[in-house]
Amino acid sequence: MSKREVMSSAASLRSKNTHSLTLAHGRYVPAIVAARPRATVRAWEMTQLLVDSPDGATCRDVFGILFREIAHRGGERLFLRLREDDPLVRIAASCGFTKYGEETLLAGPKVSFPGVSTESVREVKPVDEHDLFRLYNASTPSRARFALGMTADQWRAAREPAGWRTREYIYRQDDAAQGWAQVIRKGRSAILTLMSHPNADDAIPALVTHAMSRSWGVGNWYVLTGDHQGRLQALMGQRGHWEVARYVTMARAITSPVTVAEARRAVRISGLNPAVDLSERYQSSTREKSYAARNS
């Protein structure tokens, strides 16, 4: 890594809610890993994975610690995105990660599809969440849904975090969500991701045209497509976009959800300052032990 890349990675480790671990032997640092929650603490993503070991032995040691730390914080799943040819793919697989999909990153100019109507496209509102979940089930392969979430709560928790400059758009037809697009701005660059119903042929051109036309000042456009989005890749290729990189998406289950069978009556002891809620401490310790026992 260059000095600039090292400084950038070090700065990102200080971001809010990021949990990082460093393995050190004196002045030698063989591994640094960092993770942060996605939408909620139930789902986490790996943000940094720096390993100076070809066999990954030290990486497996620090992974074990990270899994326990995430489990204690209520995490259930950990996600990881790596380049397809990265040796870390093999190391991550040996640590319990499983591949659930592949992605292709395309780059190119601003795109529009002449003659396509965008009247059915608007910004996403909170009331659209249920329809977006139905669209997710219809447009996402089962292997990816099994990793990202089979229920609405799991899907909501696994959604990738987006900054304040992010915009989301929905394509509605026949009173149902047929497509969705998200634009994430990073300076003068933007990344477009998209979901479309298999039976909605006009959703992709309309969403791409509308989303890009509403993003002023973008000089570099990137489109992140899943391996199941062949039509999106073909349409963007026809408009001058080319492949930049291919990625492998992986996930690992950290814990199994624990349900408390019944609530216990609170018992307070007066005379202690401050007052101690014994039931709260008991349930807290029980949850911690349960997460530790179920840590995979």
Side-chain angles (χ1 to χ4, degrees), residues 23 25 28 30-31 51-64:
L23 183 64
H25 301 293
Y28 171 55
V51 182
D52 186 25
S53 175
D55 60 0
T58 56
C59 183
R60 284 188 283 271
D61 295 337
V62 75
F63 264 167

Side-chain angles (χ1 to χ4, degrees), residues 207-226:
L207 283 167
V208 172
T209 301
H210 185 89
M212 290 191 174
S213 66
R214 295 297 190 277
S215 303
W216 297 278
V218 176
N220 304 305
W221 276 102
Y222 298 93
V223 181
L224 187 64
T225 66

Side-chain angles (χ1 to χ4, degrees), residues 44-266:
W44 290 62
E45 64 178 9
M46 190 84 70
T47 58
Q48 272 85 17
L49 178 55
L50 309 177
V51 182
D52 186 25
S53 175
D55 60 0
T58 56
C59 183
R60 284 188 283 271
D61 295 337
V62 75
F63 264 167
I65 301 174
L66 181 65
F67 296 154
R68 291 194 294 270
E69 292 293 334
I70 292 177
H72 285 311
R73 288 165 173 76
E76 299 174 3
R77 290 167 297 159
L78 178 62
F79 297 95
L80 177 62
R81 177 184 282 119
L82 295 169
R83 285 183 176 268
E84 187 179 45
D85 57 351
D86 197 321
L88 291 174
V89 173
R90 176 182 56 81
I91 296 176
S94 68
C95 296
F97 283 88
T98 57
K99 184 177 76 171
Y100 66 86
E102 296 178 354
E103 295 174 325
T104 302
L105 183 65
L106 307 175
K110 182 178 179 179
V111 169
S112 65
F113 293 85
V116 174
S117 174
T118 61
E119 294 181 357
S120 300
V121 183
R122 62 167 174 79
E123 287 203 36
V124 171
K125 301 177 181 179
V127 295
D128 297 320
E129 186 173 279
H130 178 68
D131 286 342
L132 289 178
F133 177 65
R134 296 179 61 183
L135 174 63
Y136 157 78
N137 283 321
S139 61
T140 307
S142 58
R143 67 181 185 279
R145 285 188 287 114
F146 184 79
L148 293 170
M150 299 297 290
T151 67
D153 288 341
Q154 291 175 336
W155 166 75
R156 191 182 301 112
R159 298 191 68 183
E160 297 189 50
W164 65 273
R165 301 186 68 186
T166 298
R167 295 291 182 269
E168 294 184 58
Y169 303 96
I170 187 172
Y171 178 89
R172 296 188 65 89
Q173 195 174 57
D174 300 329
D175 199 28
Q178 303 291 345
W180 165 90
Q182 180 188 67
V183 177
I184 301 178
R185 295 285 299 271
K186 299 288 185 181
R188 287 183 51 81
S189 299
I191 299 178
L192 173 68
T193 54
L194 190 144
M195 288 191 303
S196 63
H197 195 282
N199 298 327
D201 294 336
D202 295 334
I204 295 177
L207 283 167
V208 172
T209 301
H210 185 89
M212 290 191 174
S213 66
R214 295 297 190 277
S215 303
W216 297 278
V218 176
N220 304 305
W221 276 102
Y222 298 93
V223 181
L224 187 64
T225 66
D227 55 354
H228 60 285
Q229 296 179 304
R231 185 165 183 268
L232 174 59
Q233 295 182 26
L235 288 175
M236 299 309 295
Q238 295 171 6
R239 291 298 189 274
H241 278 239
W242 64 91
E243 180 179 318
V244 175
R246 291 185 58 84
Y247 296 93
V248 172
T249 50
M250 310 181 77
R252 188 190 193 279
I254 302 297
T255 64
S256 300
V258 178
T259 302
V260 179
E262 58 179 340
R264 296 180 179 271
R265 183 179 179 182

Side-chain angles (χ1 to χ4, degrees), residues 285-296:
S285 64
T286 302
R287 285 194 297 269
E288 293 178 359
K289 292 178 180 178
S290 299
Y291 277 125
R294 293 174 178 266
N295 191 318
S296 56

